[in-house]
Amino acid sequence: MTTPKLDCSDLDNYMGKPMQPARMIDPFANNDIRRWVQAMHYPNRLHYDAMFAMQSRHGGLIAPQSFPVTMDDGHGSAPSCIGLIPNSHMLFGGDEWWFYGPVVRAGDRIWNERVPFDYAIKETKFAGPTCFQRGDNFYYNQHGDLVAKQRSTSIRYSQEAGEASQSGTTEGYDDPVWTDDELEALEARKYTWIKMLHDLGHSPRYWDDVEAGTALPERVFGPHSIVSFTTEWRSYTFTQWGSMHRRTDLDMAMLGFVGPMAGPEQDPTEEANNPENTDGAYIGPSRGHLFPRWARYIGMPRGYGYGASMGAWITDYLAGWASEWGMVRHSVANYRSPALTGDITIMTGNILDKYVDADGRHMIAVDCRMENQLGGVLATAKAEIELIKKPG
């Protein structure tokens, strides 16, 4: 078979040039925050329980650190997939995050300044020549404070290669079957991590008490389903009709979405006419997540989850362990394979080091691994977390 070609020459027209920003119409509400943690399987009472949050160091509900990406109309991927690569598909490949300290609360507005960063073409087993494209997102609040920076990576590959990877086989098309006993045991595993959150309460996790070489507690959730992935989609604020000042420079054909996967997703003119036609839950390239037929069209065996959600799972996993007094300051995550319907997600991690950085902050270096029930690797990450030191 002839190796598919990948023409990335158009990308040079965009590197380093700011794109149209994302703008919310309304401030965030507490229920936007609650909807997000519910969809992300993150039962941290600081983000949904008003009475618990009032007794916290913050004095009320705050959003989790993973929250800023909820308002971006491309899940943070927009500056990493701009430019035409003819006849190509795209997957979210990873995120690097920096967190600067301001928390997000109800009443806040967040906007995103977006700048394409770079790209590289590499040979892969999955698709032959593959473009790894990166772009930066700067999330500011209404006061002009930089809340977080996200450097996203998109993986862009030829349609021919994606279709060839699934041709002639139905392997993996059906969801795994879980018995009632297995589901009951799974609930017990899930609750071990949830109990850790509850046991922490408002107490700090002190830097002094943490030892390098020890494991983080296991976090488990799932089985995933079309319902859970749809709940994720709806928790992103930009997916709510009329919630955003939509981009006027978004051209799906420019991104290579032509033919069956094309559609006026996020088009502001069509949203005013018939918003269902602009909603990625129903039509356009995003529907591959929720419709197995279109998942298979781009090389996935069945419905699959969102890359930005995987990044949120990692941030929440680490932030929940750190307690309300800690903060994830930096993380780098590589997404190997999306979560699929019927699978569960198992998160583990290790404390690699503890140190005081140049700014005098008490830091923990950790790694994180995300797998399914078969041991398939979904994502790997490394991060630096700031904890507080015991007084005295």
Side-chain angles (χ1 to χ4, degrees), residues 109-387:
R109 294 176 183 268
I110 303 293
W111 73 85
N112 181 10
E113 293 183 353
R114 303 183 275 206
V115 184
F117 185 66
D118 66 5
Y119 70 94
I121 302 171
K122 302 178 182 179
E123 192 73 20
T124 65
K125 293 181 180 179
F126 169 67
T130 302
C131 179
F132 292 82
Q133 186 176 349
R134 298 192 296 176
D136 288 344
N137 302 270
F138 300 86
Y139 296 96
Y140 294 91
N141 64 20
Q142 69 274 21
H143 306 297
D145 301 322
L146 181 59
V147 175
K149 174 184 173 181
Q150 174 193 19
R151 177 166 290 167
S152 59
T153 298
S154 290
I155 301 173
R156 303 179 70 179
Y157 55 97
S158 75
Q159 289 182 5
E160 182 181 348
E163 291 157 14
S165 70
Q166 289 296 321
S167 62
T169 179
T170 58
E171 184 178 358
Y173 279 15
D174 296 326
D175 285 6
V177 176
W178 296 84
T179 67
D180 289 344
D181 288 343
E182 288 172 333
L183 291 173
E184 185 176 349
L186 183 60
E187 289 303 312
R189 287 178 72 185
K190 289 182 187 181
Y191 193 73
T192 299
W193 193 78
I194 296 171
K195 185 176 183 298
M196 180 273 296
L197 292 177
H198 296 337
D199 289 346
L200 265 177
H202 299 300
S203 301
R205 187 177 295 281
Y206 287 114
W207 181 83
D208 313 67
D209 298 334
V210 172
E211 300 258 346
T214 57
L216 300 180
E218 178 191 69
R219 180 189 181 194
V220 181
F221 50 92
H224 304 286
S225 66
I226 295 298
V227 173
S228 68
F229 292 155
T230 304
T231 302
E232 288 178 35
W233 174 257
R234 281 290 171 248
S235 71
Y236 286 88
T237 307
F238 81 87
T239 69
Q240 299 165 26
W241 299 351
S243 62
M244 302 289 297
H245 296 288
R246 303 293 179 191
R247 292 169 57 189
T248 59
D249 67 340
L250 184 61
D251 185 341
M252 289 295 173
M254 178 191 71
L255 296 177
F257 294 117
V258 294
M261 288 298 280
E265 191 172 328
Q266 301 180 36
D267 181 270
T269 302
E270 183 60 17
E271 183 178 45
N273 177 49
N274 182 359
E276 285 193 1
N277 288 340
T278 69
D279 191 327
Y282 306 122
I283 196 168
S286 293
R287 64 180 162 176
H289 293 280
L290 305 181
F291 291 89
R293 172 190 175 188
W294 299 113
R296 291 191 289 271
Y297 181 78
I298 65 165
M300 294 293 112
R302 52 189 189 270
Y304 63 101
Y306 299 90
S309 297
M310 293 173 72
W313 299 344
I314 291 168
T315 302
D316 295 341
Y317 175 60
L318 300 175
W321 172 85
S323 82
E324 69 182 55
W325 296 86
M327 174 173 284
V328 179
R329 287 292 186 176
H330 175 248
S331 67
V332 182
N334 295 309
Y335 307 146
R336 306 286 185 84
S337 178
L340 300 176
T341 56
D343 288 352
I344 64 171
T345 293
I346 304 163
M347 303 184 69
T348 56
N350 297 281
I351 301 170
L352 305 176
D353 194 11
K354 58 186 290 188
Y355 58 94
V356 179
D357 70 8
D359 296 320
R361 301 180 300 186
H362 291 79
M363 305 295 294
I364 302 293
V366 302
D367 67 10
C368 174
R369 188 177 182 88
M370 188 184 299
E371 298 181 345
N372 63 20
Q373 71 279 4
L374 300 176
V377 179
L378 307 184
T380 58
K382 290 189 175 181
E384 293 82 49
I385 304 170
E386 181 180 4
L387 300 179

Side-chain angles (χ1 to χ4, degrees), residues 30-45 47-49 64 66-67 219 221-222 224 227-236 309 312-313 316:
N30 278 333
N31 278 350
D32 294 321
I33 297 170
R34 292 186 175 105
R35 183 180 295 111
W36 176 252
V37 295
Q38 181 176 354
M40 295 300 119
H41 318 276
Y42 186 38
N44 187 330
R45 296 173 65 192
H47 310 305
Y48 71 91
D49 185 328
S66 62
F67 189 69
R219 180 189 181 194
F221 50 92
H224 304 286
V227 173
S228 68
F229 292 155
T230 304
T231 302
E232 288 178 35
W233 174 257
R234 281 290 171 248
S235 71
Y236 286 88
S309 297
W313 299 344
D316 295 341

